[in-house]
Amino acid sequence: MVDIKKITAKNMTDKEFFFGHKACAGCGGSLAVRLAMKVFGEKTFAALPAGCMSAVGFIFPQMAFLNNAIISTFPGTGSMLSGMRAGLDALGFHDTHVVGFAGDGGTADIGLQALSGAIDRRDRIIYICYDNEAYMNTGVQKSGLTPYGTKTTTSPAGKNLSGAVTHKKNLFEIIAAHDIAYAATASVGYPQDYLNKLSKAARVKGTSYIHIYATCPTGWGISTETSVSLAKEAVDCGLWYLAEYENSTFKINRKLTKPELLKEHLLKQGRFKHLKDEDIKVIESERDRKWAQMMEKWG
Amino acid sequence: MLKPEIKNYVTPKHIRDYPTGPSFEAGHLVSINAGWRTFKPVVDINVCTGCYQCYLLCSDGAISKTDNKKIEFDYSFCKGCGVCAHECSFNAISMVKEELAK
């Protein structure tokens, strides 16, 4: 992998494969799709289940993808990708990529079994989960990847409860437990790291999975211009992490650098505005537990 | 084709005019997104160093590289989110209220 030229902002293709879509201003998910398509190039076949990116890209008669793209069934992204790969191989189009872009709900809840099956078959597909931590497309409902304390329409904050009562599902390790060829986590706040992981995924012979933390100004109650900086801050204060899994080994790409930023980071977001000090303590202790475990096992 | 383009679309008059299958031509756009903006990004070409961070981080791909290693905006598709101005290390981009912009 050493001899492969790094893709950067300066040398990446000028082609835009995901353009003119109707995503909200400052959308992190559409940035994740745009950059991924720029790395994979035009010989890419995409499948998108119900979710923001299919809702904003395929508004008839608009088609914001320049390459082949299709809306899959909500639970069937993984199986659809397997089928597309099999079809392409049968037609002799081996020099192609098959990629799926699903949201956090479409991956961690609804599409989990199809994804698990696709990884089990070891198909040469790339699955990208853009994680905006709730079902944003349908109006901010709690998903399996919604973190503790988040205010959503199905986990409202009030006198009795302060938002979601469960912690974020540990999806990255669930995927890695399949002994997948390549899995990684990324953040739109660290775009170069994401580009490197995409290039790696494009060259993997088996299944690869990238979980990218994608901000959602509309659902998170943040101003649009802070979309990228907040995604960076989430990694710096330890609410998200950059890691990789390949050759059956975990690797942390970035250590926890600014743990003290946590409270400030949370209170910047509308979805966490209601949090009291004791709720922040719960989030902090969960973060510390998670990081201690990661450093011990993977560090 | 470098990116999806605006194409002329004739609204079907009868149900028969709609496509029978759920498929459509790739890269087919029918409307621009300029009306979403309140603030518009304006770049100071003399300050811009051509680092292309804004180009990298634009969700809409509305920034393109120019021949002289600077950037330019596609105002038809910029939604005015302000990420480019916020992330620019050199403060070369400023957000100007739409009606005040020249």
Side-chain angles (χ1 to χ4, degrees):
Chain A
M1 300 245 172
V2 210
D3 53 329
I4 291 153
K5 204 177 168 208
K6 210 167 156 181
I7 295 178
T8 64
K10 290 200 172 156
N11 68 14
M12 66 169 34
T13 171
D14 286 341
K15 275 199 169 188
E16 296 292 346
F17 297 96
F18 189 52
F19 179 82
H21 53 76
K22 304 293 181 190
C24 310
C27 172
S30 58
L31 176 59
V33 174
R34 172 181 170 246
L35 292 180
M37 288 309 306
K38 277 169 103 79
V39 173
F40 300 148
E42 56 196 342
K43 287 182 180 172
T44 303
F45 295 78
L48 296 89
C52 289
M53 290 310 117
S54 55
V56 303
F58 302 78
I59 307 166
F60 183 84
Q62 170 238 44
M63 174 62 178
F65 277 94
L66 196 60
N67 59 306
N68 267 293
I70 190 171
I71 300 185
S72 72
T73 55
F74 209 159
T77 318
S79 43
M80 204 120 165
L81 293 174
S82 286
M84 284 157 71
R85 180 80 266 166
L88 287 166
D89 285 346
L91 291 169
F93 297 128
H94 301 291
D95 181 25
T96 50
H97 295 299
V98 173
V99 59
F101 296 105
D104 49 300
T107 305
D109 303 338
I110 299 174
L112 190 56
Q113 65 85 16
L115 172 60
S116 178
I119 303 171
D120 183 44
R121 287 186 291 272
R122 306 286 184 252
D123 290 322
R124 189 161 63 86
I125 57 170
I126 304 159
Y127 192 105
I128 295 177
C129 166
Y130 59 93
D131 179 7
N132 45 31
E133 306 197 314
Y135 289 89
M136 294 309 183
N137 172 39
T138 45
V140 199
Q141 288 86 18
K142 186 205 169 292
S143 81
L145 290 177
T146 303
Y148 182 88
T150 312
K151 183 175 82 179
T152 70
T153 50
T154 49
S155 63
K159 253 188 279 174
N160 299 321
L161 287 175
S162 47
V165 292
T166 51
H167 292 286
K168 205 175 165 81
K169 196 188 271 190
N170 194 350
L171 193 62
F172 176 58
E173 283 179 69
I174 294 172
I175 299 297
H178 290 76
D179 207 11
I180 190 171
Y182 181 67
T185 61
S187 163
V188 291
Y190 284 95
Q192 189 56 55
D193 171 79
Y194 178 48
L195 291 175
N196 298 347
K197 286 169 177 171
L198 288 168
S199 325
K200 230 179 202 180
R203 282 169 182 88
V204 166
K205 291 284 171 256
T207 313
S208 42
Y209 171 86
I210 297 179
H211 191 127
I212 176 152
Y213 189 82
T215 32
C216 171
T218 310
W220 292 15
I222 57 174
S223 53
T224 54
E225 75 273 14
T226 59
S227 176
V228 169
S229 57
L230 268 171
K232 186 169 184 287
E233 223 174 78
V235 174
D236 295 343
C237 75
L239 290 179
W240 187 240
Y241 54 93
L242 305 180
E244 274 177 308
Y245 176 85
E246 56 183 329
N247 305 323
S248 305
T249 319
F250 286 99
K251 190 175 142 199
I252 298 183
N253 302 122
R254 195 177 170 82
K255 291 209 170 88
L256 181 56
T257 50
K258 293 172 189 159
E260 71 286 354
L261 262 180
L262 181 77
K263 187 175 175 181
E264 189 193 327
H265 171 74
L266 288 173
L267 296 179
K268 271 183 200 167
Q269 306 174 40
R271 60 176 181 157
F272 291 125
K273 275 255 154 66
H274 60 278
L275 291 184
K276 298 185 207 73
D277 279 348
E278 61 257 37
D279 301 320
I280 292 174
K281 282 228 171 65
V282 174
I283 295 172
E284 197 174 357
S285 65
E286 171 63 16
R287 177 202 67 186
D288 294 344
R289 187 196 64 79
K290 170 100 187 129
W291 273 91
Q293 197 189 38
M294 284 198 301
M295 294 311 284
E296 192 197 322
K297 286 201 296 189
W298 316 342
Chain B
M1 197 157 56
L2 202 61
K3 55 176 104 168
E5 288 166 357
I6 295 277
K7 287 176 191 164
N8 187 32
Y9 179 70
V10 184
T11 314
K13 298 274 187 302
H14 190 273
I15 188 78
R16 277 195 306 264
D17 302 334
Y18 281 97
T20 44
S23 62
F24 205 68
E25 186 188 337
H28 186 286
L29 302 180
V30 285
S31 60
I32 59 169
N33 300 332
W36 297 33
R37 266 195 322 264
T38 313
F39 291 91
K40 111 189 236 183
V42 177
V43 61
D44 185 344
I45 286 299
N46 301 319
V47 183
C48 175
T49 60
C51 71
Y52 299 135
Q53 273 306 297
C54 54
Y55 166 83
L56 183 67
L57 295 171
C58 178
S59 304
D60 290 284
I63 299 174
S64 47
K65 302 170 186 172
T66 58
D67 293 338
N68 58 353
K69 299 206 165 133
K70 307 277 179 181
I71 55 141
E72 66 181 5
F73 294 99
D74 181 345
Y75 288 117
S76 297
F77 287 95
C78 167
K79 291 171 185 157
C81 69
V83 165
C84 51
H86 193 258
E87 298 301 322
C88 180
S89 314
F90 307 96
N91 292 326
I93 303 173
S94 45
M95 298 303 287
V96 185
K97 196 131 195 225
E98 195 67 35
E99 57 267 32
L100 301 177
K102 274 173 255 163

